[in-house]
Amino acid sequence: MSILSGKTILILTAGFGAGHVSAANAIKDAILKDEENVNIVIRNFIDASVPKLNKPMVKFYENNTKYTPELYNCYYYLKKSFSSKYDIAHKVYTPKLSKFIEDLNPDLIISTFPLAAACVNNFRNSDEGYFIPAATVITDVVDSMEWIFENTELYFVPSIEIKNRFMQRGISPDKVEVVGVPISSKFRVENKEHFPGKYRIIILGGGRGLFDISEDFMRWIDEFISTDEGKSLEVTIVTGTNKKLYDNLTEKEPLQNIKVLGYVNNMDELLKSHDLMMTKPGGATLFEAIYTKTPLMVKIPRLGQEIENGKFIIDKGIGLMYSDEKDLREMLKNIASGKSNSILSFMNHNIEQFRQTIYPENIALYLERLLEKYITCETTTK
């Protein structure tokens, strides 16, 4: 029987983008796959502390990243470089979140958002706080100081490079495990079928349905794939929650050659049936591409964590970057003509190689070891 059996595990997450919640659900699934008798509670840390702030804070984040990315980046890189102890934002949430933790009395706390980890750290340091082992899941390919706290016993990081950087920041390598960004196991595919002379591209707009290409450019693609030059392309656009765009592309002026989908629940199946993914470089999206063996096409990003994810895409050779729609037009023409075949093969090979360096299947095992160590220490001190 697993040491996790009968335990209560609190997973704290946040609604700033879809990746933090998807990571929390993936952690839950990984635990329950190995041991069903575990009480897992997933809570938005703001809802559990000051719920009235959740919607305004999410709206502020969305507007900040959309309209003033330079301001967002200034704050992001400030937090990236300076010790998290200087960020006092957690003080707004810690008092009531501490009460929530005390009432639940979990055996383990896992955070998938840095400010949630800060609150847990502050709880452990408070007069009312007490020792509960804490783990943190890094949801982008970053080594930002905002994720690092003295009262964290285990870090799940996306790559060996991030583990090495954490070590340079003074974190013991024994505290850091390389699991990728946790996503649902249904995205994992071992053998993917490709069709010579056919290039299947899926275009996504991220969690908010915001695309890095214009509607006019989508219509150019629609026309291009109707020509002899572009007939080898097969394109799907998923508009997600962007209903206005969906209506424009399906009713107002319907596309003729592109399959248009709205909000979907089968993203894993869609990615498995496409050869390339054009999207924003969010952490969860990036690893959905990796697990489904789908190389990326990404516009040079503007936001802090997406900039870091973009560097990872380039360094690992698992995707293509374009600067603007003119650049993307040439990229699509090269793909359609077969000129990029060697590049596509190279990216697929690199994805295969990288997948061998991460161990998401060991998530539950790593948590078991953490609890086992804590219980052993507790027993010897009694």
Side-chain angles (χ1 to χ4, degrees):
M1 184 173 65
S2 167
I3 197 171
L4 298 176
S5 180
K7 297 294 190 292
T8 294
I9 297 177
L10 172 61
I11 305 179
L12 294 172
T13 188
F16 303 100
H20 307 291
V21 175
S22 69
N25 287 323
I27 293 288
K28 177 181 178 179
D29 291 345
I31 295 170
L32 294 180
K33 182 181 177 182
D34 282 16
E35 175 55 63
E36 294 182 358
N37 185 30
V38 185
N39 177 30
I40 300 177
V41 179
I42 297 178
R43 287 300 300 269
N44 181 312
F45 84 100
I46 300 180
D47 283 342
S49 54
V50 192
K52 289 183 179 179
L53 287 181
N54 190 45
K55 285 187 177 180
M57 290 303 295
V58 170
K59 191 66 177 177
F60 174 76
Y61 165 79
E62 290 177 348
N63 288 337
N64 196 3
T65 54
K66 183 178 181 180
Y67 299 112
T68 56
E70 296 82 6
L71 182 62
Y72 174 85
N73 286 346
C74 181
Y75 182 52
Y76 174 82
Y77 282 106
L78 184 67
K79 292 190 296 179
K80 184 178 188 298
S81 304
F82 286 87
S83 172
S84 52
K85 68 182 180 181
Y86 297 116
D87 188 351
I88 61 172
H90 60 82
K91 292 185 180 294
V92 175
Y93 309 102
T94 298
K96 290 189 176 180
L97 185 62
S98 295
K99 180 66 167 58
F100 174 81
I101 294 171
E102 289 172 9
D103 291 343
L104 183 65
N105 193 27
D107 299 284
L108 171 66
I109 304 176
I110 303 171
S111 301
T112 69
F113 189 72
L115 198 50
C119 291
V120 174
N121 182 72
N122 200 47
F123 164 76
R124 290 262 299 268
N125 282 333
S126 66
D127 292 337
E128 298 79 15
Y130 50 90
F131 181 82
I132 300 173
T136 295
V137 182
I138 316 300
T139 54
D140 290 287
V141 191
V142 298
D143 63 338
S144 175
M145 290 291 288
E146 67 175 335
W147 289 98
I148 298 174
F149 296 94
E150 61 176 335
N151 293 317
T152 301
E153 281 70 48
L154 177 63
Y155 296 93
F156 288 143
V157 300
S159 71
I160 188 64
E161 289 82 4
I162 299 302
K163 179 170 183 173
N164 292 341
R165 291 183 206 167
F166 270 45
M167 184 181 67
Q168 291 298 321
R169 293 188 181 278
I171 306 300
S172 168
D174 295 335
K175 285 187 172 186
V176 186
E177 300 293 352
V178 181
V179 300
V181 172
I183 59 169
S184 172
S185 60
K186 65 185 180 181
F187 283 90
R188 293 173 199 159
V189 62
E190 295 308 320
N191 298 305
K192 188 166 185 175
E193 188 175 11
H194 298 277
F195 300 92
K198 177 64 70 175
Y199 308 97
R200 302 164 297 173
I201 302 174
I202 187 167
I203 304 176
L204 309 174
R208 289 179 279 168
L210 301 176
F211 292 79
D212 283 327
I213 59 174
S214 65
E215 185 178 327
D216 286 342
F217 192 79
M218 293 177 186
R219 298 190 182 281
W220 175 84
I221 297 175
D222 191 52
E223 293 177 7
F224 176 65
I225 61 180
S226 69
T227 67
D228 287 341
E229 186 182 5
K231 64 183 181 182
S232 63
L233 299 185
E234 184 179 293
V235 179
T236 301
I237 296 176
V238 181
T239 63
T241 56
N242 192 335
K243 190 176 185 305
K244 180 181 178 181
L245 178 61
Y246 178 79
D247 291 342
N248 287 348
L249 300 181
T250 59
E251 295 179 10
K252 190 175 180 180
E253 294 181 57
L255 298 181
Q256 302 302 312
N257 306 292
I258 293 176
K259 184 177 182 180
V260 181
L261 303 174
Y263 185 83
V264 300
N265 292 310
N266 63 332
M267 186 59 71
D268 56 311
E269 296 174 8
L270 289 171
L271 295 185
K272 290 173 185 177
S273 63
H274 286 81
D275 305 302
L276 288 159
M277 183 201 308
M278 189 186 303
T279 186
K280 292 178 178 291
T285 301
L286 173 55
F287 277 80
E288 287 172 359
I290 289 169
Y291 287 135
T292 57
K293 300 184 178 180
T294 313
L296 296 122
M297 301 173 68
V298 173
K299 185 176 183 180
I300 297 173
R302 300 188 302 162
L303 294 178
Q305 67 271 19
E306 292 185 354
I307 292 172
E308 301 304 312
N309 291 340
K311 293 176 183 177
F312 172 80
I313 291 170
I314 293 173
D315 290 344
K316 291 298 181 182
I318 60 174
L320 299 171
M321 290 278 183
Y322 63 91
S323 57
D324 52 30
E325 291 180 353
K326 180 181 178 182
D327 191 19
L328 180 57
R329 185 180 291 113
E330 291 305 309
M331 189 180 291
L332 289 171
K333 287 181 177 180
N334 287 336
I335 292 170
S337 69
K339 290 181 180 178
S340 296
N341 282 357
S342 62
I343 295 175
L344 299 182
S345 296
F346 180 68
M347 292 190 295
N348 280 311
H349 171 75
N350 290 339
I351 288 176
E352 286 277 8
Q353 293 296 107
F354 176 73
R355 278 171 46 131
Q356 295 175 24
T357 68
I358 56 177
Y359 305 95
E361 67 277 6
N362 289 343
I363 286 174
L365 174 63
Y366 297 142
L367 294 173
E368 286 177 12
R369 289 176 179 172
L370 173 60
L371 271 182
E372 194 170 46
K373 180 180 179 181
Y374 161 57
I375 290 173
T376 301
C377 291
E378 187 180 58
T379 302
T380 54
T381 56
K382 287 182 178 179

